[in-house]
Amino acid sequence: MQSHAVKVYPSKALLKREDQLAWKIATVAADPVAVPEDTAAMIINRVIDNASVAIAAINRSAPTSARQMALGHPRTGGATVFGLDPSQRVSPEWAAWANGTAVRELDMHDTFLAADYSHPGDNIPPILAVAQTMGKSGAELLRGLATGYEIHIDLVRAICLHEHKVDHIAHLCPAQAAGLGTLLGLDQATIFQAVQQALHVSVTFRQSRKGEISSWKAFAPAHAGKLAVEAVDRAMRGEGAPSPIYEGEDSVIAWVLSGRTHRYQGDVYEPVYYQVPLPGPGEAKRAILDSYTKEHSAEYQSQALIDLAFRMRERIKDLSQVEKILLHTSHHTHYVIGTGANDPQKMDPKASRETLDHSIMYIFTVALEDGRWHHVDSYAPERAARPETVRLWHSMETREDPEWTRRYHSRDPNELAFGGRVEITLKDGTVLVDELAVANAHPLGAKPFGRADYIRKFRILTDGIIDKAEQDRFIAAAENLPNLKAGELDQLNVRLPEGQLAVGRSGIF
């Protein structure tokens, strides 16, 4: 990997494009390096993973609305939409919108956490949609997805968005554009413009994850995918983009990520803000191997803590005897999904599912009480409203622990930690203490996910929605992805039985 320093420059500096981060991203995307076998195998895992969570969510409100919006944009030879017959095609940016929303809805697909956080599986819907539309093969799709994952994860390693309250799709959209550039075999100059355009249009803010969290949390990555497809289309037609988008004097870094009017009051042109790692020429794209999926349908920082709750409950004979629960954890967990968020909705039994899956107090309590986690039942309103649950839930507090924060941001994969230490105090004064750094399903966890686990997850989440024959057909197609020929990528769609798709309210489209 090569490290690239990122600074802000005045317009009069006339920064050469070769020195711009977007050009360096385009360099990686245009590199014809082969996809390693382990990268390809993990991409297949994530294609299966995405389909499992999308079909499980297919008739929820946001995916239903997104699907009906997509149906307003039919296109012969376009892209498929989850749930529909693969012969029914729509324009690729709208397929990216519909499929991306379905994938994101349950917050149960893959994750990567470093300087910022991400769901790199969100790269798959737009790249697959364009691949279907443009008649690409499975091998070409793999190359595009390897780039999308690589760029997304490398940006997340280096550039923190959430400290400036910028939503993480600002890393996703440029990565999707880069992946599309690789898929389509575009030249470096075209990819450069597409990446810049994608960043420029995708900077949004984290109010979408604060307070009463709405369905926009599911739509946001799909919105990025739609914007990325449009950005690449414009660039292919010879249209340019704001430049330099990362380093310019009125750029995203200069006015949003540098904290120019808040944190940093000096010379904005002086600091090196970021060191972004990217593969060198001829270096394989392997970043996907550093990401990890979710076994449980909840915010990633809760994965290890759900597993820890399962373990700790075995030591408690009567949960009514629990006086209080204290979680020592990282800055991020405390301030985003813990009591440090100072967010009353995270303690509200009437809160939306989108809010409850960002409340570690609720999540740990239910996992402690039930000894299981279910993507529907664990969030049911009647489940959240149980008096004994509310009492235990409201007894829980989180605190930042500097050591857990340090491990959360460690660059050493053996030190990375996304869990915490829990102290459960019983009414008789007994204190039970246990800790867990990574989820069982994490690559360094007790039971790392392999192909069989991804398939099992797919079968569990789609059970009762599609029949076994459709399950078997899709799994076989996904595992055969490297060998799929041009025109065969529709096999990666999953169809529901006739009449089983929900129909929502009408809109403009």
Side-chain angles (χ1 to χ4, degrees):
M1 298 289 280
Q2 296 180 345
S3 182
H4 302 277
V6 182
K7 296 181 61 175
V8 173
Y9 294 85
S11 295
K12 64 183 179 181
L14 299 176
L15 183 64
K16 295 179 180 179
R17 68 180 186 178
E18 292 80 6
D19 295 325
Q20 297 177 33
L21 179 59
W23 181 261
K24 295 170 182 177
I25 289 171
T27 302
V28 175
D31 190 341
V33 63
V35 178
E37 288 187 10
D38 50 359
T39 295
M42 189 58 73
I43 290 173
I44 291 170
N45 289 344
R46 302 305 168 74
V47 167
I48 295 170
D49 203 43
N50 270 18
S52 67
V53 298
I55 297 305
I58 201 69
N59 282 326
R60 290 175 60 85
S61 176
T64 298
S65 293
R67 180 172 60 253
Q68 291 189 231
M69 293 170 76
L71 285 171
H73 300 81
R75 171 173 171 168
T76 300
T80 61
V81 174
F82 277 131
L84 297 174
D85 187 297
S87 65
Q88 194 166 7
R89 303 295 185 100
V90 303
S91 192
E93 76 278 22
W94 286 99
W97 168 256
N99 293 336
T101 301
V103 165
R104 188 68 182 88
E105 168 71 10
L106 290 182
D107 199 352
M108 201 177 173
H109 61 322
D110 67 13
T111 299
F112 178 77
L113 302 165
D116 207 69
Y117 40 91
S118 62
H119 298 283
D122 292 329
N123 284 278
I124 296 175
I127 298 174
L128 174 56
V130 172
Q132 291 175 336
T133 302
M134 301 300 285
K136 297 300 179 180
S137 67
E140 290 168 312
L141 175 60
L142 285 172
R143 293 193 67 248
L145 292 175
T147 292
Y149 267 88
E150 183 68 48
I151 299 303
H152 195 184
I153 288 172
D154 291 343
L155 288 172
V156 170
R157 292 185 201 277
I159 301 177
C160 182
L161 298 172
H162 72 259
E163 69 173 316
H164 304 289
K165 309 308 177 187
V166 174
D167 197 26
H168 51 61
I169 69 167
H171 286 331
L172 173 62
C173 196
Q176 293 167 329
L180 289 169
T182 299
L183 169 77
L184 299 174
L186 302 181
D187 63 86
Q188 186 173 348
T190 302
I191 300 172
F192 168 62
Q193 297 295 351
V195 166
Q196 294 195 108
Q197 186 71 246
L199 173 62
H200 180 68
V201 299
S202 64
V203 175
T204 59
F205 296 92
R206 289 194 60 80
Q207 189 59 40
S208 62
R209 299 167 194 280
K210 189 78 172 180
E212 186 173 348
I213 301 176
S214 73
S215 59
W216 183 252
K217 183 167 70 74
F219 287 119
H223 180 59
K226 184 172 181 291
L227 293 174
V229 175
E230 294 169 344
V232 172
D233 181 85
R234 285 191 293 271
M236 290 172 69
R237 299 175 190 275
E239 303 302 330
S243 181
I245 193 59
Y246 284 100
E247 300 92 347
E249 68 176 45
D250 285 339
S251 66
V252 173
I253 290 177
W255 281 103
V256 182
L257 302 187
S258 77
R260 194 167 178 176
T261 60
H262 173 58
R263 185 185 67 178
Y264 185 76
Q265 301 297 327
D267 182 357
V268 72
Y269 305 116
E270 179 61 27
V272 172
Y273 289 100
Y274 306 107
Q275 293 283 350
V276 179
L278 293 171
E283 186 176 354
K285 300 176 176 72
R286 308 178 67 88
I288 189 173
L289 301 176
D290 292 333
S291 61
Y292 21 84
T293 195
K294 294 180 178 181
E295 184 174 6
H296 314 298
S297 177
E299 170 79 357
Y300 192 80
Q301 285 77 11
S302 67
Q303 300 294 299
L305 295 168
I306 290 172
D307 291 333
L308 182 59
F310 294 164
R311 192 164 77 189
M312 294 189 78
R313 76 186 302 273
E314 301 301 322
R315 301 165 60 188
I316 305 172
K317 294 181 179 179
D318 183 359
L319 289 172
S320 70
Q321 296 305 302
V322 174
E323 181 70 26
K324 62 181 179 180
I325 304 170
L326 177 61
L327 167 63
H328 299 271
T329 188
S330 68
H331 177 278
H332 177 85
T333 304
H334 173 56
Y335 284 104
V336 175
I337 63 172
T339 53
N342 293 315
D343 192 344
Q345 284 85 0
K346 295 186 189 302
M347 293 294 195
D348 185 356
K350 296 180 181 180
S352 67
R353 182 197 191 281
E354 290 80 7
T355 296
L356 294 178
D357 74 11
H358 277 61
S359 170
I360 191 57
M361 293 74 68
Y362 175 79
I363 292 167
F364 188 87
T365 296
V366 173
L368 190 69
E369 288 185 324
D370 294 356
R372 67 188 285 267
W373 195 264
H374 190 270
H375 62 286
V376 176
D377 298 347
S378 297
Y379 293 108
E382 59 273 18
R383 180 67 195 82
R386 291 182 191 173
E388 64 273 21
T389 297
V390 175
R391 182 196 71 80
L392 198 58
W393 172 9
H394 288 184
S395 78
M396 186 168 175
E397 177 187 352
T398 69
R399 292 181 188 170
E400 180 185 1
D401 183 308
E403 178 61 12
W404 285 101
T405 296
R406 184 193 69 78
R407 292 187 64 185
Y408 181 93
H409 293 293
S410 175
R411 299 300 176 89
D412 180 352
N414 294 313
E415 275 203 326
L416 272 173
F418 309 117
R421 185 179 81 257
V422 171
E423 298 173 2
I424 298 178
T425 301
L426 305 183
K427 291 179 179 179
D428 65 4
T430 301
V431 180
L432 305 176
V433 181
D434 202 353
E435 64 180 54
L436 191 61
V438 296
N440 291 341
H442 187 275
L444 298 178
K447 299 176 182 178
F449 252 47
R451 176 65 55 79
D453 298 294
Y454 286 97
I455 292 174
R456 175 175 53 84
K457 180 177 175 181
F458 175 82
R459 291 192 184 279
I460 289 171
L461 291 183
T462 63
D463 182 49
I465 303 175
I466 60 175
D467 60 27
K468 186 176 183 301
E470 179 65 358
Q471 289 179 337
D472 293 345
R473 183 209 60 77
F474 170 78
I475 291 168
E479 294 196 297
N480 191 44
L481 173 55
N483 303 311
L484 294 179
K485 297 179 175 60
E488 294 184 339
L489 291 179
D490 63 311
Q491 295 180 27
L492 299 180
N493 193 48
V494 179
R495 178 185 179 183
L496 262 66
E498 192 72 29
Q500 295 303 304
L501 282 172
V503 177
R505 297 168 63 180
S506 298
I508 295 171
F509 301 119

